[in-house]
């Protein structure tokens, strides 16, 4: 019977560690150590750690449709496929010298990465990470997003050009959509995949492309948006993926100013501004609520503010910890998980009482990503 | 070593049957046999069947946050908890004589059921199905929805009254919200949990309640909406849960008429109508697209139409099979699964080519529910 017990013990160890379901799991990027924490909303805790992901100092990730795998885009050009059940790296390719983000196709078959060095977009098979397409660019590529129909859109920093790539056929079909403006720094797609919005750094304004149109064209708006002057230091470029879409409005982080800007979604016109605590980085909508939550650039990054999208007024100011880098909501909005890098903690707040209801240790945590993102176009 | 192999075989059997992840699974209600098919988007197939759910002739269900469990609301008043991994019933209570639907709280802790006979709302612990609260009503309850903050809203057919129940404290706090109108037949909450919309049968109109307000009040609109006259047969009451929210509009099924109605979401005014093939039952938005898909009441229920929310025109007419009862989209919108009850089949269509890409057998299939619903407020 000794043999039987040995086998049992061997089998039992990985099985007990493996969660039966992945619906309420997530990953926290540990930026200094190149590792990921596996987190569980049911436990309000970390349940595992995955190591060996390279340079995660500016990392993001996306999930497979079954929530089993995450595709992690590292600053060092590494694309890593991680198994959420086995809690391990299952494939990794350093596919460029410096990458800035990526996306998964609507059918879950392709993962695309936008690269700085050399610029361009590489597309991989999600099963094997085999290279499927290599699309060069005349500069650094930014703002890569998934577009329904096995397509991706992206933008080139150096030339200001926007492209739509269709990977549904035997050969990729790449369509230039036109000139967005000087030095686009980031782009985002709305949750209905209708509008691709490109933020500019080299000039003022935001440029919109209607991706429901057969022939999308650049449409510039918010021509007051951007860097105010040479004398205004920008401590951290805001993340446009954090644009909140609520009450028929976009809420944008102003560049370099202590302000949110509210834009009417249909008319693309500024409707209000909200003075806030610092330079906003992420502006994220609390699901099923009128509220957006905002974090800030250094040195004012110990604070989070909550703003009402109806009145455009700050309704709460919290100080969760040192160097708040990211916030992620439970998908029905009941709680928000906040990373405090310099406290080495993740804090969990009840969104209704706005009180802390949990916390756990993490090594210099930055991005927090729940698996529910697998089901959201554009994430 | 024989003992070791026996142990291995015992352990291996249930483990191989159990899917490691639940992100792309779902359930199909088999209405005639009181069973559920477990379906898998990766395989485009059924992977199991769960039996013993009683009368599922008018059933709906909701999922736990981890996607492990489904809570099934049967016509016979049965509330059944189903395990998606083990593919079996884990708890069942016949909690009323006749029930019409239910919802799960935003934190996943409570499941509520609205009952016809006797009328009222019963609230259960999702872990054990133990009764937590029993709220009587002066008639049949309909239109039960989850509201953030461990709350639910519901409506009483006989009296036209609407209630908001808060179950976040030690005792339930029930607040009457006022009179919606005569004989409300169904109600729905918008995806941002902002507006509770009640459709009326006993008079014309739809009544809206602003659930973001501290004191929601009834606001009647679309006073042309409803049953046209005594001479107009209504073959099937439309489902308001199928209201599509797209392009700043609601798309409503007209009652008894061959028409969709389009209502501006902000102004609550009718902006267009679309003549369609039959009396619409479900009007469902294709995610990340301008399109809604519509099915129809008997005897015109072999057809599905696709309508563009920008032009309000029918852009495609499909005939997937006999007695199309429901449609469910993959959460990023790449495909739609359609139940054809009288063909005993589920058909899978690519939403971009609008061509059939798969099918499988099912016993008189009706509702199709993917686990991604676990992450959507109001579903």
């Amino acid at each position: 019977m000794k043999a039987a017990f040995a086998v049992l013990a061997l089998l039992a160890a990985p099985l007990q560690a493996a969660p039966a379901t992945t619906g309420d799991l997530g990953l926290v990027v540990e930026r200094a150590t190149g590792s990921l924490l596996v987190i569980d909303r049911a436990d309000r805790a970390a349940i595992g750690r995955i190591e060996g992901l390279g340079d995660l100092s500016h990392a993001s990730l996306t999930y497979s449709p079954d929530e089993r795998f995450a595709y992690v885009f590292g600053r060092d050009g590494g694309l890593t496929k991680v198994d959420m059940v086995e809690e391990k790296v299952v494939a990794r390719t350093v596919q460029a010298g410096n990458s800035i983000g990526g996306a998964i196709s609507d059918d879950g078959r392709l993962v695309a990465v936008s690269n700085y060095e050399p610029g361009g977009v590489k597309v991989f098979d999600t099963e094997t990470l085999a290279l499927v397409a290599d699309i060069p660019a005349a500069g650094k590529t930014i703002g890569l997003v998934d577009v329904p129909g096995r397509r991706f859109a992206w933008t080139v920093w150096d030339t200001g050009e926007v492209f739509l790539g269709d990977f549904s056929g035997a050969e990729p079909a790449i369509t230039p959509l036109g000139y967005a403006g000087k030095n686009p720094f980031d782009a985002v797609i709305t949750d209905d995949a209708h509008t691709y919005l490109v933020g500019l750094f080299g000039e003022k304004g935001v440029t919109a492309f209607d991706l429901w149109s057969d022939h999308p064209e650049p449409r510039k708006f918010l021509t007051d948006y951007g860097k105010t002057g040479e004398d205004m230091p920008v401590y951290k470029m805001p993340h446009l993926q954090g644009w909140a879409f609520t009450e028929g409005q976009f809420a944008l982080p102003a560049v370099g100013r202590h302000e949110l800007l509210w834009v009417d979604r249909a008319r693309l016109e500024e409707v209000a501004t909200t003075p806030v605590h610092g330079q906003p980085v992420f502006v994220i909508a609390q699901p099923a609520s009128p509220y957006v939550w905002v974090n800030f650039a250094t040195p004012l990054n110990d604070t989070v503010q909550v703003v009402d999208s109806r009145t455009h007024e700050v309704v709460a100011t919290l100080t969760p910890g040192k160097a708040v880098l990211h916030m992620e909501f439970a998908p029905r909005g009941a709680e928000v998980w906040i990373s405090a890098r310099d406290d080495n903690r993740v804090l969990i707040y009840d969104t209704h009482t706005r009180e802390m209801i949990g916390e756990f240790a993490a090594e210099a945590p930055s991005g927090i990503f729940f698996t529910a993102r697998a089901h959201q176009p554009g994430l």
Side-chain angles (χ1 to χ4, degrees), chain A:
Chain A
M1 285 302 289
K2 203 166 181 186
F5 284 128
V7 169
L8 264 176
L10 271 174
L11 285 175
L15 293 176
Q16 286 178 351
T21 52
T22 48
D24 58 355
L25 299 187
L27 293 168
V28 177
V29 172
E30 297 186 306
R31 48 180 291 140
T33 47
S35 51
L36 300 169
L37 275 186
V38 183
I39 52 177
D40 186 338
R41 281 206 309 281
D43 296 340
R44 290 188 182 141
I47 58 169
R49 176 174 277 131
I50 303 169
E51 296 180 320
L53 283 99
D55 180 359
L56 296 186
S57 62
H58 193 281
S60 68
L61 59 85
T62 190
Y63 289 102
S64 64
D66 63 358
E67 304 165 352
R68 170 130 194 190
F69 301 106
Y71 301 90
V72 185
F73 313 104
R75 175 42 73 85
D76 58 0
L79 167 64
T80 311
K81 180 177 178 178
V82 161
D83 186 326
M84 299 292 290
V85 176
E86 304 278 347
E87 296 182 359
K88 66 178 186 188
V89 171
V90 288
R92 177 169 162 81
T93 172
V94 178
Q95 51 83 46
N98 190 332
S99 81
I100 192 65
I104 192 166
S105 61
D106 61 345
D107 62 354
R109 303 287 293 276
L110 301 174
V111 61
V113 191
S114 57
N115 290 319
Y116 264 22
E117 190 49 48
V121 172
K122 285 188 179 171
V123 182
F124 300 88
D125 182 299
T126 49
E127 192 67 30
T128 60
L129 294 196
L131 186 69
V132 170
D134 185 354
I135 315 295
K140 298 181 172 88
T141 52
I142 59 109
L144 178 78
V145 300
D146 56 290
V147 182
R150 208 187 271 190
R151 296 180 297 166
F152 299 99
W154 62 87
T155 299
V156 180
W157 158 272
D158 307 71
T159 65
E161 289 171 297
V162 174
F163 295 91
L164 183 63
D166 184 336
F167 299 88
S168 65
E171 292 293 321
I174 312 298
T175 306
L177 299 188
Y179 179 68
K182 193 172 178 196
N183 292 143
F185 70 95
D186 198 5
V188 69
I189 190 167
T190 54
D191 50 4
D192 54 5
H194 191 167
T195 312
Y196 184 63
L197 294 159
V198 184
L200 304 174
F201 190 73
E203 61 180 295
K204 292 217 175 194
V206 175
T207 303
F209 294 80
D210 177 358
L211 296 189
W212 288 0
S213 165
D214 291 332
H215 302 287
E217 287 178 4
R219 178 178 166 197
K220 205 161 158 192
F221 67 102
L222 208 66
T223 47
D224 184 41
Y225 185 74
K227 199 159 166 284
T228 309
E230 290 307 316
D231 55 332
M232 168 66 83
V234 177
Y235 291 108
K236 161 105 181 102
M237 288 305 290
H239 277 272
L240 297 195
Q241 273 226 346
W243 284 17
F245 306 111
T246 182
E247 273 286 271
Q249 305 165 97
F250 309 129
L252 284 80
V255 178
R257 278 182 290 164
H258 294 199
E259 240 174 42
L260 301 193
L261 310 179
W262 299 85
V263 175
D264 180 277
R265 187 168 177 158
R267 292 182 288 115
L268 297 180
E269 285 170 15
E270 185 174 320
V271 290
T273 61
T274 301
V276 288
H277 175 75
Q279 295 183 4
V281 176
F282 281 105
V283 183
I284 304 181
Q286 175 185 328
S289 89
Y291 304 111
V292 301
W293 293 53
V294 189
N295 71 337
F296 302 100
T298 183
L300 298 169
N301 56 359
D302 66 338
T303 296
V304 165
Q305 288 189 310
V306 185
V307 184
D308 189 320
S309 63
R310 298 166 295 183
T311 61
H312 308 112
E313 284 176 11
V314 173
V315 295
T317 299
L318 312 173
T319 47
K322 288 184 203 154
V324 170
L325 295 195
H326 198 224
M327 302 165 288
E328 176 88 337
F329 289 90
R332 285 178 185 251
E335 50 193 48
V336 60
W337 293 38
I338 298 173
S339 56
R341 183 193 60 198
D342 295 351
D343 279 337
N344 294 305
R345 318 261 331 141
V346 172
L347 300 320
I348 306 169
Y349 278 72
D350 181 302
T351 54
H352 302 292
T353 62
R354 295 182 190 127
E355 285 174 5
M356 201 173 80
I357 51 173
E359 60 172 321
F360 57 88
E363 288 292 326
S366 57
I368 306 174
F369 304 87
F370 287 129
T371 53
R373 288 172 173 253
H375 315 300
Q376 294 181 280
L379 292 186

